[in-house]
Amino acid sequence: MHQPFKTALVQMSMSADKTANLAKAATMIEQAADGGARLVCLPEMFMTPYFCQREDSALFDLAEEFPNSETIRALRAVAKKTKSVVIAPIFERRAPGVYHNSAGIIDADGEIAGFYRKMHIPDDPAFYEKYYFTPGDLGFKAFDTKVGRIATLICWDQWYPEGARLAALHGAVILFYPTAIGWHPDEKSRYGAAQHDAWRTVQRGHAIANGVYVAATNRTGLETDDKTGSKLEFWGQSFIADPQGVLLAEASVEKEEIITAEVDVKHLETIRRNWPFLRDRRIDAYGEITKRFIE
Amino acid sequence: MHQPFKTALVQMSMSADKTANLAKAATMIEQAADGGARLVCLPEMFMTPYFCQREDSALFDLAEEFPNSETIRALRAVAKKTKSVVIAPIFERRAPGVYHNSAGIIDADGEIAGFYRKMHIPDDPAFYEKYYFTPGDLGFKAFDTKVGRIATLICWDQWYPEGARLAALHGAVILFYPTAIGWHPDEKSRYGAAQHDAWRTVQRGHAIANGVYVAATNRTGLETDDKTGSKLEFWGQSFIADPQGVLLAEASVEKEEIITAEVDVKHLETIRRNWPFLRDRRIDAYGEITKRFIE
């Protein structure tokens, strides 16, 4: 059984300067590791502003290959230097016309421990992701690292109980959700509180239903699309919940900051022994989950 | 499209006197209907104390057949008189040695609209349900009633995203969870708040993930097993959440009371249009949900 370890989430804002974003991320990983963190998760597509506010074919230039990119090379070096696992979300160029929203899991020795491609792709005004991202084809998985067996999903995945369940059934003890979620400024006063509360609640629900830790890493800051003027105010509030859904750490709305919590497999086992939900699943009766709707 | 309607939950305590429990339930249904409710849900096995605190074969005598029982006949008359849909949870005797924890859905004209047998059966100290209840074999469904298409699940089902998802895919606009959940008195001070919060959170999560109303009807009161002295303090706090997980109504811990909220299919559609989670489900990638664990 793995030892308890401290995990950290890096909540940051992004500029149009990729070099600066990478340097900031690397510095914050080092700060987290200096504070004792053994695993650090960055926000979704931390290398760029959230470019999906408009559909523009020129923006595919922002993508990079995995693992042969400057970003991944740099973060592998940081992981090795700090002896920390790093979850590195990237805009992935797989082939001409085939792009994904992905995340590499870099082990604490700098080796690649896993790779995930976002399975659920949203599309809403100012979140035009179906234009940019081919839905993932690697499925829901978990990966062994030096600190334990973990899973990452990405942003919109966080609304889907199926993804959380499958990652937990693969043995993950913690589910990471690198995220880029925010308010439309003109909706915030009316709907903002309920939107944020629903976002946090559904993910705490995954923690409870599966008996796993859940950690969501969001970006912060107001981003304005320079062509359309469209604005998104990313709501920060990255958080870590325990296997009973208890909030262990939660970031502010507006600050760049590192939050941390301890992940303890013994605590997870205690929770699952007392609330043995996995024992009683009716696997004989769930087959229709693979239907779109049931008429 | 169905009109908005007021739904009511009856939070009550139970005595060993079945006649008194039935009379109380009937009176509270009439009160709810007088207040404008068109659908009333009773708590799990409202006809008896929560007898599963001990394993005792004599207690199978408490069961009754569906729909040929005094309870169902009486509630059909109440439903017809009040023109209200009634969800009537019973301890069901199906055959010698085959008992279920079930719920009848009685339509507003007194006819039977549906029947559900609890699919997920718990077993914990003082909740010895696996001794009493054969797991349900009717699956997760939804039923048409005079007020709309609804589903009921029962208690332990509330921890399972799969059951909520399947009922929603069958077209239910609201999921009911008749419940008997409470604190072990010696655990309450240390664990009670987190236990209740997890219970409410995971069910609000079902509302959010599926875009459905969710309503949980719990019993209240301290029950002491007369043979073993085992005690359970049922925590009340019945609630109704909207399709974004917003609490519309919530009962107290200790009082017998009726809570109500409006169920509006137009509001449900607005929420689903803005958060189109059902659109993006990866039904091609969920097949392993039917596995117990994935090694």
Side-chain angles (χ1 to χ4, degrees), chain B residues 194-205:
Chain B
Q195 290 171 344
H196 166 258
D197 187 52
W199 173 77
R200 193 175 59 178
T201 299
V202 76
Q203 291 178 88
R204 290 178 58 219

Side-chain angles (χ1 to χ4, degrees), chain B residues 61-226:
Chain B
D61 285 342
L62 296 172
E64 56 190 298
E65 292 183 359
F66 182 88
N68 300 312
S69 75
E70 192 59 44
T71 303
I72 297 300
R73 270 191 291 273
L75 291 177
R76 290 179 66 176
V78 174
K80 187 172 182 180
K81 176 182 167 193
T82 60
K83 299 186 175 64
S84 300
V85 179
V86 173
I87 298 180
I90 61 165
F91 177 24
E92 180 200 0
R93 180 184 192 277
R94 186 176 181 183
V98 183
Y99 299 82
H100 296 283
N101 185 327
S102 305
I105 297 164
I106 305 169
D107 212 343
D109 58 4
E111 297 303 306
I112 302 298
F115 189 55
Y116 174 76
R117 291 184 175 128
K118 187 174 184 173
M119 292 287 285
H120 300 97
I121 308 296
D123 201 280
D124 286 307
F127 293 86
Y128 299 112
E129 296 201 14
K130 289 195 193 296
Y131 173 76
Y132 290 104
F133 310 126
T134 302
D137 58 350
L138 299 176
F140 304 98
K141 289 189 184 158
F143 301 100
D144 289 314
T145 71
K146 303 289 188 213
V147 298
R149 194 160 172 82
I150 66 164
T152 191
L153 300 108
I154 299 175
C155 202
W156 192 239
D157 293 323
Q158 59 210 177
W159 302 96
Y160 293 84
E162 293 92 342
R165 178 69 97 201
L166 287 165
L169 293 180
H170 275 284
V173 299
I174 179 166
L175 313 182
F176 290 92
Y177 289 97
T179 298
I181 193 167
W183 295 297
H184 294 285
D186 57 348
E187 285 186 5
K188 182 182 174 187
S189 63
R190 183 161 178 196
Y191 300 112
Q195 290 171 344
H196 166 258
D197 187 52
W199 173 77
R200 193 175 59 178
T201 299
V202 76
Q203 291 178 88
R204 290 178 58 219
H206 302 329
I208 297 161
N210 295 290
V212 289
Y213 289 84
V214 167
T217 317
N218 196 17
R219 66 174 65 199
T220 183
L222 178 71
E223 294 186 17
T224 304
D225 187 285
D226 54 13

